[in-house]
């Protein structure tokens, strides 16, 4: 469906981003991965995906907390692929603390990676997309872009900001066959959430199973984690011709969390 097209997925050496990169490659797109991890493992990941899907798979180790590296990564994708058709802003981190104890450095880091990196990547990718009158931007926000939870001030603020950025960009490029949308997942079982389960178990002195049932999935009426494959399929759809008129939306994938 996306054969001959090119994509950049930030934060895609793990979790949701990796699932999205796999989904786009399986749909036929050349993909640049981004994110941290063991260099040999990342090389193997790229080679396996390239071979299995018959596409080009590259990796950029750019740090999304650094504006200059975000811009350079987009330029590298454009140069090595010849152009960039799809940008998926997915990289994100979490930190949990009451607002009066929230470390300033953590606030700055979360805003930089979860929100400001999206701005810099979009800013760098748009001129090429506008020149070709074609492009797809998907921002992975969160149910926390629509509603709040205590102790997640920086994350909730950043994700609400992502939705504002998404709508603004969508309006600015609406006539140019470029769409910009946000996906708002509830809980998805990834290393990011595994970390939260372990933290909560320690804080509340509960078992892992109790934390999953009574803390993590308490707000998710479906009582199940979404799969990364569900999010990948949605990104592929939003990048397809069938989604040409869908722009500026914040689409929850949260098992009913934000329907309350
Ligand atoms: P994850 O921890 O599994 O993966 C995060 C990825 O981002 C990794 O590839 C990591 O290397 C990369 N990364 C982290 N800091 C980076 C930096 N400074 N520069 C470049 N790459 C960096 O996380 P995940 O659960 O897959 O989350 C992905 C996105 O989905 C995040 O934006 C997160 O907020 C969002 N999200 C996750 C959930 C969930 O339940 N897992 C729910 C809602 C939203």
């Amino acid at each position: 469906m996306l054969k001959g097209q090119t994509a950049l997925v930030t934060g895609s050496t793990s979790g949701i981003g990796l699932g999205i990169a796999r989904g786009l490659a399986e749909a036929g797109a050349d993909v640049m991965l981004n994110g941290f991890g063991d260099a040999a493992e990342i090389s193997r990941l790229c080679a396996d995906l390239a071979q299995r899907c018959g596409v080009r798979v590259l990796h950029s180790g750019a740090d999304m907390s650094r504006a200059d590296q975000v811009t350079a990564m987009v330029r590298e994708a454009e140069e090595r692929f010849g152009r960039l058709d799809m940008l998926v802003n997915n990289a994100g981190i979490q930190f949990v603390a009451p607002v009066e104890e929230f470390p300033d450095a953590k606030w700055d880091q979360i805003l930089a990676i979860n929100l400001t990196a999206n701005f810099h990547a979009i800013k760098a990718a748009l001129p090429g997309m506008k020149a070709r009158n074609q492009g797809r931007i998907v921002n992975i926000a969160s149910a926390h872009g629509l509603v709040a939870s205590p102790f997640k001030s920086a994350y909730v603020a950043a994700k609400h900001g992502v939705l504002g950025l998404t709508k603004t960009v969508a309006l600015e490029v609406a006539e140019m066959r470029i769409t910009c949308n946000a996906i708002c997942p509830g809980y998805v079982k990834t290393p990011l959430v595994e970390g939260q389960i372990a933290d909560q178990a320690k804080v509340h002195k509960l078992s892992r199973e109790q934390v999953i049932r009574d803390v993590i999935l308490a707000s998710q009426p479906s009582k199940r984690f979404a799969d990364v494959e569900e999010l990948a399929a949605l990104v592929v759809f939003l990048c397809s011709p069938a989604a040409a008129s869908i722009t500026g939306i914040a689409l929850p994938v949260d098992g009913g969390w934000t329907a309350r």
Side-chain angles (χ1 to χ4, degrees), residues 3 10 48 53 56 78-79 99 143 163 173-174 194 206 228:
K3 198 150 187 54
T10 72
D48 287 351
C53 301
R56 283 182 292 172
E78 288 177 329
E79 277 161 27
V99 69
L163 299 192
V173 297
E194 287 291 355
L206 295 173
V228 296

Side-chain angles (χ1 to χ4, degrees), residues 11-16 34-36 62-65 90-93 113 140-142 155 159 185-188 190-193:
S12 50
T13 51
S14 161
I16 294 171
N34 157 255
F36 303 144
D63 182 345
M64 294 301 97
S65 69
N90 166 79
I93 59 165
I113 296 170
I140 306 304
S142 168
Y155 188 85
K159 295 298 189 181
Y187 284 107
V188 186
T190 67
L192 182 141
V193 167

Side-chain angles (χ1 to χ4, degrees), residues 45-117:
L45 188 70
C46 292
D48 287 351
L49 198 56
Q51 206 225 344
R52 184 164 63 80
C53 301
V55 297
R56 283 182 292 172
V57 181
L58 309 174
H59 171 254
S60 160
D63 182 345
M64 294 301 97
S65 69
R66 298 272 309 274
D68 55 340
Q69 293 191 25
V70 177
T71 306
M73 172 189 66
V74 172
R75 293 283 163 267
E76 187 190 346
E78 288 177 329
E79 277 161 27
R80 295 185 68 187
F81 285 143
R83 63 179 200 285
L84 183 60
D85 300 306
M86 298 167 273
L87 168 66
V88 182
N89 288 305
N90 166 79
I93 59 165
Q94 175 65 284
F95 187 82
V96 178
V99 69
E100 73 276 19
E101 292 166 23
F102 212 93
D104 294 353
K106 275 288 168 202
W107 172 276
D108 290 344
Q109 190 189 18
I110 290 177
L111 268 287
I113 296 170
N114 294 19
L115 173 60
T116 309

Side-chain angles (χ1 to χ4, degrees), residues 196-215:
Q196 287 186 50
I197 294 170
D199 289 348
Q200 296 278 344
K202 212 160 29 174
V203 170
H204 299 292
K205 298 193 171 43
L206 295 173
S207 72
R208 195 174 173 281
E209 289 64 36
Q210 283 171 314
V211 169
I212 290 175
R213 192 188 59 235
D214 301 335
V215 182

Side-chain angles (χ1 to χ4, degrees), residues 1-7 9 15-33 45-57 86 228-237 239-240:
M1 189 197 288
L2 302 175
K3 198 150 187 54
Q5 299 204 43
T6 66
V9 185
I16 294 171
L18 178 56
I20 292 170
R22 284 195 171 120
L24 291 170
E26 284 162 6
D30 292 336
V31 183
M32 177 179 270
L33 306 181
L45 188 70
C46 292
D48 287 351
L49 198 56
Q51 206 225 344
R52 184 164 63 80
C53 301
V55 297
R56 283 182 292 172
V57 181
M86 298 167 273
V228 296
E229 289 76 15
E230 296 169 48
L231 295 164
L234 192 50
V235 172
V236 170
F237 169 68
C239 290
S240 74

Side-chain angles (χ1 to χ4, degrees), residues 166-191:
T166 301
K167 290 188 249 185
T168 306
V169 172
L171 292 178
E172 289 186 20
V173 297
E175 289 185 34
M176 296 163 198
R177 295 174 183 266
I178 302 167
T179 68
C180 181
N181 291 296
I183 295 176
C184 300
Y187 284 107
V188 186
K189 190 83 96 48
T190 67

